[in-house]
Every structure is written in structure tokens, then in C-alpha cells.
Amino acid sequence: MSEALEKFRAGLSEIEGAYRPALEAAAEENALREARARFTGPSGALTELMKGMKDVPGPSRRELGQACNALKTAIQSLFDARLEALEKAALQAELEGPALDLTLPGRRPLPGRLHPITRAEYDLLDIFGSMGFEVARGPEIDTFARCFTQLGFPPDHPATDEHDTFYVTGGGEGDDAHVLRTHTSTMQIREMSRREAPLAVVSPGKVFRRDDDATHSPMFHQLEGFLVDEGITFAHLQGMLTVFLERFFGGGIEVRFRASYFPFVEPGAEVDVRRKAEHGGDPGPWMEILGCGMIHPTVLKNVGYDPEKVSGFAFGMGVDRIAMVRHGVPNIKALYENDQRFLSAF
Ligand code: PHE
């Protein structure tokens, strides 16, 4: 008898003697599965043994192959029987164990609630809705043209830099490049290009900038608003925003318009609010809430409007910022961690 044949037979009888005690010793399902794997798993003893079949002389292979398969079947049926026995035993133990205690107090369900950012957004939309603004939502990826060029940014404006703006790989060149929108002002272009004046629209959504610290997140939320009609002036903008801010913050605030620059408005302003001084105390600090201005004639021309006939205003505010001011949250990241202990405080 060849040496390889002898070795093979010896291996076979070793497994024959070993598998039963091994499977019977396993006291729970995982141990049982492990025991089976030691024989018929990918690197189990029987699997390894069968890899040596090629060294065995031809005439004996058939017989040994059959023996191996029979052994494999035997291991599997013992496994099945043991598994069933273990499951039965577990069920039995549960039935004999302590009964259900129906007097235990129930678990209180954790009621869901809207996230502070969602709530701020809904409250903003409520107020603007009541003032006659329609709501439009648009894509978070948009063209370089709609994010910058058509809004009157010069091609080399620092905001267009890769240090500030996320570009989409393979998204085209120049005006056709695609960016994660850096502001919701893209929606001015989208809505005005497809509709005639008069129109009054607000558009909430996510925007993206390469910014990351306690008060800046690379993703945040804005709400854009714009209104175009004949004879619209800065006074309309100022009056409308003042009413809006008083309604949102529930009175007790002062509003300040500060001249500022944005390429797509002229004149432009930033708006700050602070808590009014109460009983001779100090007023709160001024907080910047939004940017706004009269839509630049170039932008009106870019969307096909006649700046000699119509004029309009636009404003954009940070929704996260507004939620932070409202709830006194100092770190914007707290709004994104979704820690129940933090969120349930609102
Ligand atoms: N898009 C500006 C920003 O993100 C805000 C703004 C909107 C300013 C509309 C003026 C008019 O900072």
C-alpha cells in the first residue's frame, strides 16, 4: 500500500473517531457551529484531508471519495440532530424558568419631535407663507453659472476658489462646472429664469462651504427669499424684513440694517438683531442674521427681465444660525450630532 494511501486512511479514521465527541461536547449553538467547522469548514480537517486525494493512487480514489462523502453526511446529520436538541432544551429551560411579570411598569416610548433646524425652517416658511411668498426647492448640486456667473460674480472671485467651494469631479469646465451650491441664491436664477415677474418666492435648503469650526459647518442651511414686481424699493425690503424678524423672534428685539456688499445686489445690506434692554439693563449683543439687497440690474437682465420695468429685492439667511440664536446654542456642531440628551432639551 502506498504511503499516501496509508496516510489518507489514518486521517480518515482519526476524523471518524473525533467528530462525535466534539459535536456532542458543544453546549450551545455557536460552539456547535464551531465544532462542525473544525471538520467540514473551509479549513476543517476533512476538507484538508480531501485536498490530499490527488496524491492517492488512482484505483483507491473512488472508494476513499465515497468514504469521505459518507463521513461528511454523518457529520452534518449529527450536527442537525444536536442543533434541534439544543433548541428544544433552550425552549424547555425558558418554559420552566420564571414566569412573565405582568406587574412590571411599561417602557415609556420616546416621542419623536422635529429637529430644531427643521422647526426653524418650518416657522420661517409659515411666516413668509402668510406674507404671500411661495416655496420652491432646488438641487444642492448646481452649475458654476447659476452659483456665481449669472449672479454677477467675476470669474476670479475668491468665493469660487477650491479652498472655499466643493467642485464635483468630472462636472464640466468653466460655467458648466458643477459645484455643491455655496448659497441658495442659485434659486434666484432658477426661478426667475423660468417665470415672469411678479413673483415672490422663498427657498430653503442645504448649502456647502469648505469651512469647519465651532460656528461653521461644511454643510449648513439657508433660506433665500426674493420678490420682483414693478416699483419695488428698498423700503419694501426693509419694512418686510423688520416685520418678519419681529414675528419670528416674538418682539422685544431691535433690528439694524448695515450697508454691505454682495455681487448680486445693489445696494446691499446685512441685518443684525439684538434683544432690547429690559428695565434699564444692557441690550444683548448684535447678531448678524441675514444678507439682503436690491437685485442687481445685471442679474435681472441675466434671467431675461427688463430692469427698466421691474425691480426686486432678495435676502438670504442662515437657518442654523437662526436656530442657534433662538435657543442659545453656542456650537453649531451640537445641531448635527443628534444626541438625544441635547435634542430633547428643545
Ligand atoms: N447669498 C448670500 C450669502 O450666502 C446671502 C444673500 C442673499 C445676500 C440674497 C443678499 C441677497 O451670504
Side-chain angles (χ1 to χ4, degrees):
M1 191 162 47
S2 89
E3 202 182 314
L5 183 57
E6 217 168 309
K7 251 180 81 185
F8 200 100
R9 281 200 205 285
L12 202 57
S13 68
E14 193 178 314
I15 296 168
E16 272 166 346
Y19 81 88
R20 183 169 291 276
L23 266 64
E24 278 172 355
E28 47 88 35
E29 185 176 334
N30 276 341
L32 182 63
R33 292 189 182 282
E34 250 168 56
R36 178 181 60 173
R38 287 208 297 279
F39 299 100
T40 57
S43 51
L46 185 56
T47 316
E48 291 297 326
L49 183 73
M50 285 167 83
K51 285 182 194 157
M53 184 74 87
K54 58 185 186 317
D55 305 322
V56 170
S60 313
R61 281 190 200 161
R62 187 184 159 84
E63 174 222 329
L64 288 177
Q66 280 170 349
C68 286
N69 283 335
L71 184 52
K72 217 173 179 175
T73 312
I75 293 173
Q76 185 59 36
S77 16
L78 179 61
F79 173 87
D80 292 340
R82 287 287 300 145
L83 187 60
E84 203 185 316
L86 286 177
E87 279 166 356
K88 268 196 188 142
L91 183 62
Q92 196 59 32
E94 202 176 313
L95 289 173
E96 283 164 8
L100 273 186
D101 182 353
L102 298 177
T103 68
L104 279 177
R107 287 196 190 115
R108 200 175 283 280
L110 204 58
R113 65 178 81 207
L114 294 177
H115 191 279
I117 294 176
T118 309
R119 276 225 316 280
E121 182 182 306
Y122 285 5
D123 291 349
L124 295 172
L125 293 182
D126 265 357
I127 298 176
F128 287 115
S130 76
M131 290 175 159
F133 285 83
E134 295 170 60
V135 180
R137 291 184 187 263
E140 291 161 9
I141 296 177
D142 216 327
T143 58
F144 186 95
R146 279 190 285 262
C147 199
F148 298 118
T149 314
Q150 290 190 274
L151 286 165
F153 286 71
D156 53 351
H157 190 281
T160 66
D161 200 286
E162 299 214 7
H163 283 295
D164 294 320
T165 298
F166 293 105
Y167 282 78
V168 176
T169 311
E173 294 288 326
D175 268 352
D176 296 330
H178 281 70
V179 297
L180 302 193
R181 64 178 178 189
T182 57
H183 53 185
T184 43
S185 301
T186 51
M187 290 303 289
Q188 292 186 34
I189 303 299
R190 282 188 171 266
E191 287 300 297
M192 292 194 286
S193 301
R194 67 181 191 90
R195 297 171 56 180
E196 292 298 326
L199 86 184
V201 176
V202 283
S203 186
K206 292 186 167 73
V207 301
F208 306 84
R209 292 182 198 173
R210 290 195 173 224
D211 259 343
D212 207 357
D213 60 39
T215 52
H216 296 91
S217 155
M219 182 283 297
F220 58 104
H221 301 77
Q222 283 191 335
L223 181 127
E224 191 84 7
F226 42 98
L227 180 150
V228 183
D229 201 347
E230 289 173 18
I232 298 299
T233 70
F234 198 90
H236 294 113
L237 170 62
Q238 198 161 4
M240 189 280 300
L241 281 180
T242 304
V243 169
F244 153 71
L245 290 168
E246 277 166 3
R247 278 180 65 183
F248 185 84
F249 288 104
I253 56 149
E254 290 177 87
V255 178
R256 165 172 91 176
F257 284 72
R258 212 169 8 89
S260 184
Y261 175 76
F262 301 94
F264 38 96
V265 291
E266 179 58 34
E270 280 171 290
V271 177
D272 307 325
V273 296
R274 71 172 174 188
R275 295 252 156 246
K276 270 189 192 141
E278 267 175 58
H279 315 299
D282 288 334
W286 285 110
M287 292 166 300
E288 184 193 318
I289 289 289
L290 58 84
C292 64
M294 299 305 291
I295 300 175
H296 198 288
T298 307
V299 175
L300 294 176
K301 275 186 215 144
N302 288 345
V303 297
Y305 288 2
D306 180 355
E308 299 295 327
K309 282 203 185 126
V310 294
S311 56
F313 60 68
F315 54 92
M317 62 189 75
V319 178
D320 320 64
R321 171 68 71 87
I322 283 185
M324 287 166 75
V325 169
R326 192 190 217 185
H327 301 294
V329 175
N331 187 331
I332 191 170
K333 301 293 162 58
L335 291 172
Y336 302 127
E337 280 163 1
N338 288 334
D339 184 330
Q340 286 291 336
R341 290 164 300 181
F342 169 78
L343 292 177
S344 59
F346 303 110

